[in-house]
Short mmCIF file of all heavy atoms in Angstrom, two decimals:
data_model
loop_
_atom_site.label_atom_id
_atom_site.label_comp_id
_atom_site.label_asym_id
_atom_site.label_seq_id
_atom_site.Cartn_x
_atom_site.Cartn_y
_atom_site.Cartn_z
N ALA J 27 99.18 40.43 121.57
CA ALA J 27 100.53 40.29 122.30
C ALA J 27 101.18 41.63 122.35
O ALA J 27 101.01 42.51 121.46
CB ALA J 27 101.37 39.31 121.54
N PRO J 28 101.95 41.87 123.42
CA PRO J 28 102.79 43.10 123.52
C PRO J 28 103.68 43.26 122.22
O PRO J 28 104.21 42.34 121.67
CB PRO J 28 103.65 42.85 124.76
CG PRO J 28 102.84 41.92 125.57
CD PRO J 28 102.18 41.01 124.57
N GLY J 29 103.80 44.54 121.77
CA GLY J 29 104.56 44.83 120.63
C GLY J 29 103.88 44.56 119.29
O GLY J 29 104.51 44.45 118.29
N SER J 30 102.51 44.46 119.33
CA SER J 30 101.80 44.28 118.07
C SER J 30 101.25 45.58 117.54
O SER J 30 101.03 46.60 118.31
CB SER J 30 100.55 43.35 118.39
OG SER J 30 100.96 42.07 118.84
N VAL J 31 101.05 45.64 116.24
CA VAL J 31 100.41 46.72 115.57
C VAL J 31 98.92 46.36 115.40
O VAL J 31 98.55 45.33 114.86
CB VAL J 31 101.02 47.02 114.24
CG1 VAL J 31 100.27 48.23 113.48
CG2 VAL J 31 102.48 47.38 114.39
N LEU J 32 98.03 47.24 115.87
CA LEU J 32 96.63 47.08 115.70
C LEU J 32 96.15 47.97 114.53
O LEU J 32 96.30 49.20 114.63
CB LEU J 32 95.85 47.51 116.98
CG LEU J 32 96.33 46.85 118.34
CD1 LEU J 32 95.56 47.45 119.53
CD2 LEU J 32 96.15 45.35 118.27
N ALA J 33 95.64 47.34 113.52
CA ALA J 33 95.19 48.09 112.35
C ALA J 33 93.65 48.12 112.28
O ALA J 33 93.06 47.04 112.19
CB ALA J 33 95.73 47.47 111.05
N ALA J 34 93.02 49.27 112.33
CA ALA J 34 91.58 49.36 112.41
C ALA J 34 91.05 50.18 111.24
O ALA J 34 91.72 51.10 110.74
CB ALA J 34 91.10 50.01 113.69
N ASN J 35 89.82 49.85 110.83
CA ASN J 35 89.20 50.70 109.75
C ASN J 35 88.68 52.05 110.39
O ASN J 35 88.33 52.04 111.56
CB ASN J 35 88.11 49.95 109.06
CG ASN J 35 86.92 49.54 110.00
OD1 ASN J 35 87.17 49.00 111.09
ND2 ASN J 35 85.70 49.86 109.59
N HIS J 36 88.71 53.06 109.54
CA HIS J 36 88.34 54.39 110.06
C HIS J 36 87.16 54.96 109.31
O HIS J 36 87.20 55.11 108.12
CB HIS J 36 89.60 55.31 109.80
CG HIS J 36 89.64 56.53 110.69
ND1 HIS J 36 88.83 56.71 111.73
CD2 HIS J 36 90.42 57.64 110.64
CE1 HIS J 36 89.13 57.85 112.39
NE2 HIS J 36 90.11 58.43 111.68
N THR J 37 86.07 55.20 110.00
CA THR J 37 84.79 55.60 109.36
C THR J 37 84.24 56.85 109.93
O THR J 37 83.35 57.45 109.34
CB THR J 37 83.75 54.49 109.45
OG1 THR J 37 83.44 54.28 110.81
CG2 THR J 37 84.25 53.18 108.86
N SER J 38 84.62 57.21 111.21
CA SER J 38 83.90 58.26 111.90
C SER J 38 84.82 58.94 112.92
O SER J 38 85.74 58.28 113.40
CB SER J 38 82.66 57.70 112.56
OG SER J 38 82.14 58.59 113.54
N LEU J 39 84.51 60.16 113.35
CA LEU J 39 85.20 60.74 114.43
C LEU J 39 85.01 60.01 115.71
O LEU J 39 85.79 60.10 116.63
CB LEU J 39 84.73 62.19 114.62
CG LEU J 39 85.09 63.16 113.52
CD1 LEU J 39 84.42 64.52 113.76
CD2 LEU J 39 86.59 63.32 113.49
N ALA J 40 83.95 59.16 115.79
CA ALA J 40 83.66 58.38 116.94
C ALA J 40 84.37 57.08 117.04
O ALA J 40 84.45 56.51 118.18
CB ALA J 40 82.15 58.18 117.04
N ASP J 41 84.84 56.49 115.98
CA ASP J 41 85.32 55.14 116.03
C ASP J 41 86.55 54.98 116.87
O ASP J 41 86.80 53.85 117.42
CB ASP J 41 85.47 54.48 114.65
CG ASP J 41 86.54 55.08 113.77
OD1 ASP J 41 87.66 55.08 114.12
OD2 ASP J 41 86.14 55.67 112.70
N PRO J 42 87.52 55.93 117.03
CA PRO J 42 88.66 55.69 117.91
C PRO J 42 88.15 55.39 119.36
O PRO J 42 88.69 54.50 120.07
CB PRO J 42 89.44 57.02 117.89
CG PRO J 42 89.14 57.51 116.51
CD PRO J 42 87.73 57.19 116.29
N ALA J 43 87.08 56.16 119.84
CA ALA J 43 86.60 55.93 121.14
C ALA J 43 85.99 54.50 121.27
O ALA J 43 86.11 53.75 122.26
CB ALA J 43 85.56 57.01 121.53
N VAL J 44 85.22 54.14 120.21
CA VAL J 44 84.61 52.84 120.20
C VAL J 44 85.63 51.71 120.23
O VAL J 44 85.51 50.76 120.97
CB VAL J 44 83.69 52.67 118.89
CG1 VAL J 44 83.19 51.26 118.81
CG2 VAL J 44 82.54 53.70 118.97
N VAL J 45 86.66 51.83 119.42
CA VAL J 45 87.73 50.87 119.34
C VAL J 45 88.46 50.79 120.76
O VAL J 45 88.71 49.74 121.27
CB VAL J 45 88.68 51.04 118.27
CG1 VAL J 45 89.91 50.18 118.29
CG2 VAL J 45 88.00 50.83 116.88
N LEU J 46 88.78 51.92 121.27
CA LEU J 46 89.51 51.90 122.58
C LEU J 46 88.64 51.30 123.73
O LEU J 46 89.14 50.60 124.55
CB LEU J 46 89.85 53.42 122.98
CG LEU J 46 90.98 54.01 122.21
CD1 LEU J 46 91.20 55.46 122.63
CD2 LEU J 46 92.29 53.26 122.41
N ALA J 47 87.31 51.59 123.75
CA ALA J 47 86.45 50.99 124.63
C ALA J 47 86.42 49.51 124.53
O ALA J 47 86.43 48.70 125.51
CB ALA J 47 85.05 51.55 124.51
N ALA J 48 86.38 48.99 123.26
CA ALA J 48 86.38 47.58 123.05
C ALA J 48 87.69 46.91 123.46
O ALA J 48 87.66 45.82 124.13
CB ALA J 48 86.11 47.28 121.59
N LEU J 49 88.79 47.55 123.13
CA LEU J 49 90.07 46.98 123.52
C LEU J 49 90.28 47.02 125.01
O LEU J 49 90.85 46.14 125.61
CB LEU J 49 91.19 47.75 122.86
CG LEU J 49 91.26 47.57 121.32
CD1 LEU J 49 92.31 48.55 120.73
CD2 LEU J 49 91.57 46.15 120.89
N HIS J 50 89.71 47.98 125.68
CA HIS J 50 89.78 48.03 127.14
C HIS J 50 89.09 46.82 127.76
O HIS J 50 89.55 46.24 128.77
CB HIS J 50 89.11 49.35 127.68
CG HIS J 50 89.32 49.58 129.11
ND1 HIS J 50 88.54 49.06 130.12
CD2 HIS J 50 90.23 50.42 129.76
CE1 HIS J 50 88.94 49.48 131.27
NE2 HIS J 50 89.95 50.31 131.07
N ARG J 51 87.98 46.42 127.18
CA ARG J 51 87.28 45.23 127.69
C ARG J 51 88.21 44.01 127.52
O ARG J 51 88.06 43.08 128.32
CB ARG J 51 85.99 44.98 126.85
CG ARG J 51 84.95 46.00 127.12
CD ARG J 51 83.62 45.57 126.44
NE ARG J 51 82.58 46.51 126.58
CZ ARG J 51 81.34 46.38 126.15
NH1 ARG J 51 81.01 45.18 125.52
NH2 ARG J 51 80.45 47.29 126.23
N LEU J 52 89.04 44.04 126.52
CA LEU J 52 89.94 42.85 126.29
C LEU J 52 91.26 43.03 127.03
O LEU J 52 92.16 42.23 126.89
CB LEU J 52 90.22 42.76 124.79
CG LEU J 52 88.98 42.46 123.96
CD1 LEU J 52 89.34 42.47 122.47
CD2 LEU J 52 88.34 41.15 124.35
N GLY J 53 91.37 44.07 127.91
CA GLY J 53 92.54 44.25 128.74
C GLY J 53 93.68 44.92 127.99
O GLY J 53 94.87 44.84 128.47
N VAL J 54 93.45 45.63 126.92
CA VAL J 54 94.48 46.29 126.07
C VAL J 54 94.25 47.80 126.08
O VAL J 54 93.14 48.29 125.88
CB VAL J 54 94.43 45.78 124.66
CG1 VAL J 54 95.39 46.50 123.80
CG2 VAL J 54 94.70 44.29 124.61
N ARG J 55 95.31 48.50 126.34
CA ARG J 55 95.36 50.02 126.31
C ARG J 55 96.43 50.45 125.37
O ARG J 55 97.55 50.77 125.81
CB ARG J 55 95.56 50.55 127.74
CG ARG J 55 94.33 50.25 128.63
CD ARG J 55 94.79 49.90 130.02
NE ARG J 55 93.62 49.49 130.91
CZ ARG J 55 93.18 48.23 131.00
NH1 ARG J 55 93.82 47.23 130.29
NH2 ARG J 55 92.16 47.92 131.76
N PRO J 56 96.10 50.57 124.10
CA PRO J 56 97.21 50.90 123.11
C PRO J 56 97.63 52.34 123.07
O PRO J 56 96.91 53.25 123.52
CB PRO J 56 96.55 50.46 121.80
CG PRO J 56 95.08 50.83 122.01
CD PRO J 56 94.82 50.44 123.46
N VAL J 57 98.74 52.55 122.46
CA VAL J 57 99.17 53.87 122.01
C VAL J 57 98.47 54.15 120.71
O VAL J 57 98.46 53.21 119.79
CB VAL J 57 100.69 53.97 121.90
CG1 VAL J 57 101.13 55.29 121.21
CG2 VAL J 57 101.37 53.80 123.21
N VAL J 58 97.90 55.32 120.48
CA VAL J 58 97.14 55.60 119.25
C VAL J 58 97.89 56.60 118.35
O VAL J 58 98.44 57.61 118.90
CB VAL J 58 95.74 56.20 119.61
CG1 VAL J 58 94.99 56.42 118.33
CG2 VAL J 58 95.00 55.32 120.54
N MET J 59 98.03 56.26 117.12
CA MET J 59 98.61 57.22 116.17
C MET J 59 97.32 58.01 115.64
O MET J 59 96.49 57.49 115.00
CB MET J 59 99.29 56.49 114.98
CG MET J 59 100.49 55.67 115.47
SD MET J 59 101.34 54.74 114.09
CE MET J 59 102.09 56.22 113.25
N ALA J 60 97.39 59.33 115.81
CA ALA J 60 96.22 60.15 115.45
C ALA J 60 96.64 61.42 114.81
O ALA J 60 97.84 61.92 114.91
CB ALA J 60 95.40 60.44 116.72
#
Side-chain angles (χ1 to χ4, degrees):
S30 298
V31 176
L32 308 175
N35 62 309
H36 203 9
T37 63
S38 165
L39 291 173
D41 66 62
V44 172
V45 170
L46 286 176
L49 293 173
H50 189 277
R51 291 189 185 182
L52 300 175
V54 174
R55 293 140 185 90
V57 171
V58 182
M59 299 180 71

